[in-house]
């Protein structure tokens, strides 16, 4: 199989899986809305808009950098030195990601109260933002691993991981919704902890 065919197949796999995962996500959001109501979904939307900014800060383009560096190191005909350079690339990427993600995590943790009260104007968003601060280093590391598998042209592993992630998220959120109260704040905490 030549290089163009690999790109085409990998692109098709990513596109189809992204559409399926998006459909699952939309269906799950319908279920969540019925469980926590429009007010709870509104809170989640507010929280996730802030969280998205901090994810951008935490990952800082590391996924694309790892894809580019790993694919360059492996090329069409990888040699024995490509494994050494891969290890060095991954080590440097992990260091970079941990610095940015821990900084973003601390920034979100410290500013969660001010963001919740002054920017979002809802005290119910403070605790979920603080909980989400602890996930930023994990997301950065996940972004590096995702970039590695794309760089070595093994996107099917990313697809399997994304489907497993969705399944675990749906199961854990559903279970936590049974534990937490049915009000908007309890629903937000259940969704965030489950995610």
């Amino acid at each position: 199989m030549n290089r163009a065919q690999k790109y085409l197949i990998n692109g098709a796999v990513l596109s189809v899986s992204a559409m399926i995962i998006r459909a699952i996500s939309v269906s799950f959001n319908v279920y969540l809305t019925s469980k926590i109501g429009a007010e709870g979904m509104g809170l989640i939307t507010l929280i996730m808009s802030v969280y998205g900014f901090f994810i951008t800060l935490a990952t800082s383009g590391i996924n694309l950098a790892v894809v580019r560096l790993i694919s360059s190191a492996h090329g069409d005909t990888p040699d024995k030195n490509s494994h050494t350079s891969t290890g060095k690339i991954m080590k440097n990427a992990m260091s970079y990601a941990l610095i940015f993600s821990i900084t973003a995590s601390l920034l979100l943790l410290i500013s969660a109260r001010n963001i919740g009260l002054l920017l979002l104007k809802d005290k119910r968003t403070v605790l979920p933002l603080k909980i989400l601060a602890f996930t930023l280093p994990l997301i950065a590391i996940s972004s590096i691993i995702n970039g590695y598998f794309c760089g070595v042209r093994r996107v099917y592993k990313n697809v399997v991981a994304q489907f497993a992630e969705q399944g675990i998220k749906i199961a854990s959120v559903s279970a936590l919704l049974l534990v937490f109260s049915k009000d908007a704040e309890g629903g937000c905490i259940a969704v965030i902890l489950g995610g």
Side-chain angles (χ1 to χ4, degrees):
M1 191 180 302
N2 66 27
R3 190 174 187 175
Q5 289 173 324
K6 284 182 183 178
Y7 281 128
L8 185 62
I9 290 170
N10 286 334
V13 167
L14 285 174
S15 297
V16 169
S17 66
M19 287 188 291
I20 292 170
I21 288 173
R22 185 69 63 184
I24 292 168
S25 179
V26 168
S27 301
F28 185 61
N29 283 342
V30 170
Y31 166 76
L32 279 179
T33 303
S34 71
K35 287 291 186 183
I36 64 174
E39 183 181 7
M41 291 304 289
L43 279 176
I44 290 172
T45 302
L46 280 173
I47 292 164
M48 289 303 170
S49 63
V50 172
Y51 185 53
F53 171 76
F54 282 94
I55 287 175
T56 302
L57 183 62
T59 56
S60 301
I62 192 68
N63 181 285
L64 184 60
V66 170
V67 169
R68 175 70 176 101
L69 292 171
I70 293 294
S71 63
S72 292
H74 283 259
D76 285 332
T77 55
D79 58 6
K80 62 183 175 183
N81 292 329
S82 68
H83 295 295
T84 306
S85 62
T86 298
K88 190 174 182 180
I89 290 166
M90 294 301 285
K91 182 181 174 186
N92 290 337
M94 288 287 183
S95 299
Y96 174 89
L98 286 174
I99 289 168
F100 275 88
S101 63
I102 290 172
T103 302
S105 182
L106 291 172
L107 190 62
L108 179 56
L109 195 60
I110 291 167
S111 62
R113 184 164 180 75
N114 288 334
I115 291 171
L117 297 177
L118 302 175
L119 185 65
L120 302 177
K121 300 192 185 311
D122 195 328
K123 68 178 183 176
R124 297 175 294 178
T125 61
V126 175
L127 181 58
L129 285 171
K130 286 181 178 182
I131 293 169
L132 287 171
F134 293 102
T135 66
L136 293 173
L138 300 173
I139 288 176
I141 291 169
S142 172
S143 184
I144 291 169
I145 294 168
N146 181 310
Y148 169 79
F149 285 121
C150 286
V152 294
R153 297 183 191 111
R154 293 188 200 141
V155 296
Y156 66 91
K157 291 187 179 187
N158 282 339
V159 171
V160 170
Q162 287 174 357
F163 277 107
E165 177 186 331
Q166 283 295 324
I168 292 169
K169 178 183 175 181
I170 289 169
S172 60
V173 169
S174 299
L176 287 170
L177 281 172
L178 297 173
V179 174
F180 284 92
S181 64
K182 300 291 186 195
D183 67 342
E185 185 177 14
C188 278
I189 291 171
V191 170
I192 286 166
L193 285 176

